[in-house]
Amino acid sequence: MSGNAQESCSALPLPQGSVIGILGGGQLGRMSAIAASLLGYRVVVLSSDPDDPAVAVSHKHICAEVEDRKALAELAELADIVTYEREQLPLASVTWLSERVAVAPNCLALEVAQDRIREKSFFGSSGIPTVPWRPVTSRSEIIAAAADVGRPAIFKVAYGGYDGKGQATIEVGDTDEALFALWDRFSNGAEMMAIVERKVAFDCELSVIVARDRQGKMVTYDPSLNDHKNHILDTSTVPAPVGEKQLNDAGTMVCKIAEGLDYVGVLCLELFLMPSGELLANEIAPRPHNSGHWTIDACYTDQFEQLIRAIAGLPLGDSSRFSDVCMKNIIGSDAEDISPYLNAPNAKLHLYGKQDIRPGRKMGHVTYLGSNDPAGMAEANSLAPMNRRSYE
Ligand code: ADP
Ligand code: MG
């Protein structure tokens, strides 16, 4: 249905002063709204909290839950085109909205990205390699699924997981009872879908971002090396210390996915680099991604501007990188003292305007630019050790 509304979208490219709607009010919405504003657009955000990071930089806030049809109707009325900044959205709401106003990326992309079973099946049918995995659609299937993929394995709920939430490791020695208990803990008696996948010893994690416009033109960004702490992204470093082949393969894979979804917008693919040099697809995000925040300071056109250009029918910008870079997330109490970020040479600080510091909360990020300044890059390098296997 979204296709119909997209075709009936107001004249493209969207003229100056047009209104871009954003579902969700987090930091990704905030940075998208800033990019929209720089291109002369106005932004209306639909989210449930007036203190949300995106609200402060938008022209209008519809304060409501995403399920609220009256609020969605108002958004459809006000906006010329709508995008979303997270995939944990009720598909029914977005589909309903897409029948009234153009929504990009389309509902198919959202549907695939928010359901790990559909996502992994889509990778398979597109010829994109993944770790061995099995769907688990009922409690009784979990034992066989773990046996099929081999242990240790990782159990992941199909819907709603993020930052490692909704996941647990299945150890080699876990009993059948332990696996059933795992299912019961996550399902809490309700219906649930999940997957079990082999836990692999990858060399490192990479991600790659593509922007695709309405004519199907695509530009990719340099893949980043991603390090996590407590299941939350800690640093993204570019260039990633991998060979040309891996860089090319990553770009080819993400473009194939974007084409397969008839995607318009910015899409991120998370990858595992295996000791063999093979890249395995882990998951996609149908939106700008935390591992692409470095593009704001190190590329001619960053991922947020690219999103706005793509959905507004403007030509995509140059995604070239003009500096080596390391992005570090500022999580929880890291935000208590910002002076190190302000004082570090070549550091560019981005705060999201969140009032309460809570453990695990993404408060901002800092980008360390360039290799000319030893202090800045020394810190960046110490944050993201480069002692990786080299594929050159
Ligand atoms: P999300 O980011 O939605 O929480 P992911 O599937 O990306 O879920 O998993 C979070 C992290 O857990 C990954 O970035 C990776 O570090 C680790 N992980 C996920 N799947 C596997 C796997 N099959 N083998 C080893 N590590 C994994
Ligand atoms: Mg992930």
Side-chain angles (χ1 to χ4, degrees), residues 102-299:
V103 174
N106 62 32
C107 291
L108 172 65
L110 185 64
E111 207 175 335
V112 168
Q114 67 180 202
D115 172 358
R116 291 193 195 276
I117 296 178
R118 287 215 56 180
E119 183 175 50
K120 288 263 169 14
S121 305
F122 174 76
F123 290 152
S125 61
S126 309
I128 303 220
T130 64
V131 299
W133 71 281
R134 289 285 179 276
V136 188
T137 57
S138 69
R139 188 180 191 263
S140 60
E141 292 170 12
I142 190 169
I143 313 285
D148 278 357
V149 301
R151 301 190 191 190
I154 302 190
F155 173 90
K156 299 180 179 179
V157 297
Y159 291 93
Y162 66 97
D163 288 346
K165 294 185 179 70
Q167 297 188 18
T169 299
I170 297 176
E171 304 292 356
V172 174
D174 282 352
T175 59
D176 290 0
E177 288 67 38
L179 267 60
F180 287 134
L182 184 69
W183 177 273
D184 294 339
R185 178 155 64 86
F186 281 106
S187 72
N188 217 356
E191 277 202 11
M192 182 175 71
M193 305 276 234
I195 62 169
V196 169
E197 61 181 47
R198 172 90 58 81
K199 183 172 185 176
V200 290
F202 47 72
D203 270 356
C204 65
E205 292 185 74
L206 305 173
S207 61
V208 59
I209 291 171
V210 67
R212 187 171 185 272
D213 73 12
R214 291 174 182 281
Q215 283 73 45
K217 185 180 172 218
M218 292 186 274
V219 295
T220 58
Y221 287 93
D222 286 345
S224 65
L225 167 74
N226 301 327
D227 276 293
H228 296 81
K229 258 192 205 158
N230 305 319
H231 303 287
I232 302 173
L233 182 68
D234 181 41
T235 58
S236 289
T237 308
V238 191
V242 301
E244 274 303 309
K245 177 168 171 17
Q246 282 72 29
L247 299 180
N248 289 337
D249 287 353
T252 306
M253 286 163 87
V254 77
C255 288
K256 202 170 186 182
I257 293 168
E259 269 176 346
L261 294 170
D262 194 18
Y263 199 87
V264 174
V266 164
L267 172 85
C268 178
L269 170 64
E270 294 179 13
L271 295 157
F272 300 144
L273 176 57
M274 302 305 292
S276 63
E278 188 186 19
L279 288 174
L280 302 179
N282 176 34
E283 62 172 355
I284 53 169
R287 51 169 171 79
H289 194 261
N290 194 169
S291 67
H293 291 357
W294 60 271
T295 63
I296 301 176
D297 299 309
C299 293

